[in-house]
Amino acid sequence: MGVKLIHIPKAHDVRGSLAVIEGDCIPFEIKRVYYLFDVPSDAYRGGHAHKEQQSLILALSGSFEVIVNDGKKSERIMLNKPHIGLYIPTGVWREIENFSSGAVCLVLASTEYNESEYIRDYDTFVSSKQS
Ligand code: TYD
């Protein structure tokens, strides 16, 4: 379905780690950055697909699980390292759950926010994949 883990290059020494996202490290130009924080452990986020947006999701702190679904198969991926992001191309349904205490979910997006490019209804998403 085109979903893949991307390792962000990092410099590590006794002072800690520094990860850098630049150049062609991720397969799109970043137009927007947003992040989820103070998320209750029983919260369910996402629950949508995009007609245009590509995303990279990172667990900057803590952990959570991302369920991705291309209309044919579904996969559950735990993110728990700040330098390993999950790339999600256009047209993939995603849900995010099981947030650890203090988790911060960073999303790098290829588009500015535009509600009209969201598919928020699962049946509509499945139909879009069949046509
Ligand atoms: P929502 O899409 O429900 O979050 P998620 O799918 O990640 O769980 O977004 C929550 C609210 O924030 C909703 O009212 C739309 C708004 N929002 C923006 O205004 N700009 C943005 O870039 C995003 C991602 C959401």
Side-chain angles (χ1 to χ4, degrees):
M1 66 176 85
V3 170
K4 61 181 178 184
L5 289 171
I6 293 182
H7 287 242
I8 310 300
K10 66 180 168 82
H12 174 76
D13 62 33
V14 290
R15 300 168 300 161
S17 296
L18 182 157
V20 186
I21 298 171
E22 66 176 348
D24 56 6
C25 171
I26 61 173
F28 58 85
E29 192 182 331
I30 300 164
K31 289 277 176 57
R32 178 167 47 110
V33 176
Y34 66 93
Y35 44 97
L36 309 175
F37 59 100
D38 287 348
V39 183
S41 60
D42 61 352
Y44 163 90
R45 306 288 319 212
H48 55 73
H50 291 280
K51 296 176 194 167
E52 292 175 20
Q53 184 188 309
Q54 304 170 63
S55 319
L56 186 82
I57 301 182
L58 290 148
L60 274 200
S61 180
S63 66
F64 48 80
E65 292 179 312
V66 186
I67 301 112
V68 286
N69 178 342
D70 65 358
K72 293 198 185 83
K73 58 182 171 41
S74 171
E75 203 177 330
R76 178 180 290 267
I77 298 143
M78 170 171 276
L79 294 181
N80 58 7
K81 293 190 171 65
H83 68 289
I84 301 181
L86 183 68
Y87 169 70
I88 305 182
T90 301
V92 173
W93 187 266
R94 88 285 311 272
E95 297 162 16
I96 314 177
E97 61 183 22
N98 291 331
F99 286 82
S100 70
S101 171
V104 178
C105 171
L106 182 77
V107 183
L108 309 181
S110 67
T111 61
E112 292 183 13
Y113 178 68
N114 174 9
E115 185 59 38
S116 68
E117 66 90 31
Y118 277 71
I119 303 174
R120 292 194 185 267
D121 177 71
Y122 185 69
D123 291 339
T124 305
F125 168 71
V126 172
S127 302
S128 76
K129 298 310 251 185
Q130 285 164 352
S131 56

